[in-house]
Amino acid sequence: MRASLPWWPHRLASGGARKQVFSSFAEGVDWTDEGQVQRALRAFEGMLDECTGSYGWDGTLAKVTAALARDGYQVSPTLQILPVGEWRPEVARHDAKAYGDSLRLLRGARNAMERSSLLTTGMSEERLRDVLLVALNAYFEGQSTGETLNGKGKTDILIRIGDRNVSISECKFYDGPKSVTKALEQLLGYTDNGGRRTSLLIFYREKEPDARIADTIAAIRAHPHCESFDSSRADEDRQWGFVVRGSGDPGRAPRAEVAFIPFVIA
């Protein structure tokens, strides 16, 4: 390990006493001893956690992240310091939570749009998508983008945190079961090894679309690669879940989580 890592805690420390403690600590670490390095990293994680939200935090974190990157380390979303490329279950948990949050926000936006139907009646698919992006970015702070290249095309909505795709969405107006199958195929084409959590957002231009929603669910379940169906959130959230395998070897092709959320735009 190079000398850059011991440097950054001195710059991060605020207050003479804290700076003196960390200066003494860093000078006492044998940076050729992996055990001592790991203990130092845990101590530095504690310092990062203590400084979260302080004045100039974003700039400080960026400097710390850059210094760590020179030594082959990265800072996780929960402020863990880990080797670049190392599999991190805590990142998987963070991404799963972000995906769940995105679905919650989409459902909330859907409910608000349906209560204010005069505002959305006649809107094009692109305009409706933009409304959803506004709702998502109020929470994800610019990490949600529209018409973003990923996989085999440009997905309608992509939420990317760091270098990880945590949610991929396709928006479509309902035009019969074939339109659902086509939209699902498009959605599967946008997935990759780094992004398999998705949502299919179908817009219905009728006030009582229950029969069309049932047809949509049937079309997804009839897909030859649909492996499972979950209706546990149907009554409370009007959301249905599927696991759909991509094309290729059944034993190796990636599987995508697909959350179907209907929107009544009448």
Side-chain angles (χ1 to χ4, degrees), residues 82-141:
L82 297 155
V84 171
E86 180 180 295
W87 169 247
R88 305 181 304 280
E90 59 91 16
V91 168
R93 289 193 296 272
H94 178 274
D95 290 355
K97 181 182 182 303
Y99 176 60
D101 287 340
S102 74
L103 298 180
R104 173 178 56 80
L105 292 165
L106 288 169
R107 294 193 305 267
R110 181 267 314 274
N111 296 344
M113 291 162 71
E114 290 180 352
R115 287 192 295 267
S116 305
S117 58
L118 289 178
L119 297 176
T120 56
T121 298
M123 275 191 179
S124 66
E125 177 188 307
E126 291 76 14
R127 288 290 305 279
L128 291 167
R129 179 206 61 203
D130 291 345
V131 171
L132 296 177
L133 282 170
V134 169
L136 289 168
N137 276 321
Y139 180 83
F140 286 102
E141 299 181 337

Side-chain angles (χ1 to χ4, degrees), residues 8-9 22 25 29 36-50 81:
W8 66 266
F22 274 87
F25 176 78
V29 173
Q36 292 193 38
V37 169
Q38 291 303 315
R39 287 192 292 274
L41 292 178
R42 301 296 80 78
F44 296 160
E45 288 172 353
M47 189 174 185
L48 284 175
D49 185 64
E50 181 183 347
I81 302 171

Side-chain angles (χ1 to χ4, degrees), residues 61-78:
L61 182 60
K63 291 178 182 178
V64 169
T65 300
L68 286 166
R70 291 194 290 270
D71 287 302
Y73 286 85
Q74 57 189 345
V75 181
S76 81
T78 53

Side-chain angles (χ1 to χ4, degrees), residues 152 225 227 245-254:
K152 297 179 181 178
H225 295 165
E227 296 186 347
R245 174 172 50 83
S247 59
D249 184 349
R252 297 183 179 180

Side-chain angles (χ1 to χ4, degrees), residues 125 154-157 168-191 198-204 216 219-220 223 244 256-261:
E125 177 188 307
K154 292 183 178 180
T155 181
D156 284 326
I157 298 174
I168 298 171
S169 301
E170 178 67 13
C171 304
K172 277 288 184 292
F173 273 104
Y174 181 82
D175 189 24
K178 289 184 178 179
S179 69
V180 176
T181 302
K182 181 179 179 180
L184 180 60
E185 289 290 345
Q186 279 186 263
L187 184 61
L188 294 173
Y190 301 141
T191 62
T198 73
S199 58
L200 186 61
L201 314 178
I202 303 294
F203 304 132
Y204 300 86
T216 300
I220 300 174
H223 190 282
V244 185
E257 294 180 47
V258 180
F260 160 54
I261 302 177

